[in-house]
Amino acid sequence: MATPVRTRDGGSALSRSASRRSQGEVPFRYASTGAGILLLAIMAAIAVFLVVEAIPALQANKGSFFTTLTWEPNSSQSFGIAALAFGTLISATLALIMAVPVAVGVALFISHYAPRRMAGILGYVIDLLAAVPSVVYGLWGVVFLVPFMQGPSEFLHEYLGFIPLFGGDIVTGRSMLTASIVLAVMILPIIAAISREVFLQVPRMHEEAALALGATRWEVIKTAVLPFGRPGVISASMLGLGRAMGETIAVALIFPATFGISLEILTPQGNSIAANIANGFGEATPIGRGALIASGLVLFIITLLVNMGARMIIARRKEYSGAAA
């Protein structure tokens, strides 16, 4: 049995080391607890502000806030969130469907296929794209993508028009599909960067064990890398979904700002909560501003529900939920 080391003042070196650790842990515990409480307080303050500012407009609303398709709070004081919520969810979902497979493929290529030097360059480019302002993507969408999508939209409508998504009487490049593509390009670097870091954390022993059993590189990825990284990919996808739902300027420049519910993504219609707030806040009356704040409250709740769902999914993997907590 090892004997405690004695110091000059007669105390135990082990006890003095434990005392120093406890002295450092107590302030850190209070600081971290205070930071968590402060974050919850800020979120609660935002929710209270949105509710208080939205109540007068909701009381003056002559329509049903959850089912009315029109948005006329400045004139007839009749408005509803149904069309805006539908457009927000559809555009963000389409963007996620397009972005996630590409982002995961890019992350796997950088982490397991690309040479080290190329992987470093590609990783830097991905991180750089994630930092590009959204207005730049919006201008790119208006100047380049809207005219470019006219041809592909007509092709999809001609040959796949029997599918409700590609149906409609008028086909244009300024549509829900174009806005979703811009959103997909915006969230792709975020999902790819986070997925790349998750894939790089796969235990080397797992991959070597699969290789020792005769697995090919793709089988290693399928059996060792993807199962380990699935919670991280889900978390990255939910982060990208939140970014897509809350995007303002990029979609405001592309959406035709109509109010209606339709699954036809090639027609000139569509809008979102964030884009409607950006387009209408400057000229809104007091009731109109309250209505816009009420729509912001709905977006706030939707985002919270998405994040809560992501946390529940990640918590199913105990070995990863501890790192994510």
Side-chain angles (χ1 to χ4, degrees):
M1 178 181 295
T3 57
V5 179
R6 310 296 296 182
T7 59
R8 290 185 176 181
D9 55 2
S12 172
L14 184 60
S15 63
R16 295 188 61 183
S17 176
S19 177
R20 286 196 299 268
R21 286 199 303 268
S22 63
Q23 291 176 0
E25 290 174 356
V26 172
F28 177 77
R29 183 171 67 249
Y30 284 127
S32 59
T33 303
I37 295 174
L38 178 62
L39 178 60
L40 293 177
I42 292 174
M43 294 182 63
I46 293 174
V48 171
F49 167 78
L50 293 174
V51 171
V52 171
E53 293 294 326
I55 288 177
L58 294 176
Q59 291 176 341
N61 186 14
K62 297 179 181 178
S64 174
F65 181 70
F66 294 105
T67 59
T68 301
L69 299 181
T70 59
W71 187 268
E72 299 175 351
N74 300 323
S75 55
S76 63
Q77 295 185 358
S78 176
F79 56 90
I81 199 66
L84 296 175
F86 178 82
T88 299
L89 294 175
I90 290 296
S91 60
T93 303
L94 289 176
L96 197 67
I97 293 173
M98 290 184 282
V100 170
V102 179
V104 172
V106 171
L108 287 174
F109 177 76
I110 294 176
S111 61
H112 287 80
Y113 284 94
R116 181 172 301 179
R117 180 174 298 181
M118 181 184 296
I121 296 174
L122 291 177
Y124 175 78
V125 172
I126 292 296
D127 295 336
L128 184 64
L129 289 175
V132 174
S134 59
V135 66
V136 176
Y137 288 106
L139 292 174
W140 169 75
V142 170
V143 175
F144 171 76
L145 195 60
V146 168
F148 175 80
M149 285 299 297
Q150 183 66 38
S153 298
E154 293 177 353
F155 176 84
L156 291 173
H157 180 265
E158 181 178 356
Y159 293 99
L160 298 176
F162 59 92
I163 301 176
L165 284 176
F166 306 119
D169 299 328
I170 302 175
V171 176
T172 179
R174 199 180 187 91
S175 61
M176 178 75 72
L177 178 61
T178 304
S180 300
I181 293 175
V182 173
L183 290 176
V185 174
M186 287 183 58
I187 66 177
L188 191 150
I190 299 174
I191 301 174
I194 298 176
S195 300
R196 177 196 65 201
E197 296 301 324
V198 172
F199 293 150
L200 290 174
Q201 301 303 317
V202 178
R204 186 63 182 173
M205 291 186 297
H206 292 186
E207 299 183 22
E208 292 178 351
L211 291 172
L213 293 175
T216 62
R217 181 174 296 185
W218 163 242
E219 290 172 339
V220 170
I221 291 175
K222 185 173 64 174
T223 59
V225 177
L226 290 179
F228 180 88
R230 187 180 295 114
V233 173
I234 294 173
S235 179
S237 301
M238 294 302 101
L239 182 62
L241 180 61
R243 169 80 185 273
M245 289 191 301
E247 180 51 42
T248 305
I249 299 300
V251 293
L253 293 173
I254 297 175
F255 270 139
T258 60
F259 297 92
I261 294 179
S262 175
L263 292 176
E264 299 169 352
I265 62 175
L266 302 179
T267 56
Q269 58 183 351
N271 208 344
S272 69
I273 295 176
N276 186 60
I277 294 175
N279 290 328
F281 200 86
E283 301 177 355
T285 62
I287 296 298
R289 285 194 294 270
L292 293 174
I293 292 175
S295 66
L297 176 62
V298 173
L299 181 61
F300 181 76
I301 294 174
I302 292 175
T303 305
L304 286 181
L305 293 177
V306 169
N307 290 332
M308 291 173 59
R311 295 288 297 181
M312 291 176 60
I313 295 174
I314 295 173
R316 293 180 180 180
R317 286 283 299 272
K318 294 182 179 180
E319 64 272 18
Y320 203 89
S321 62

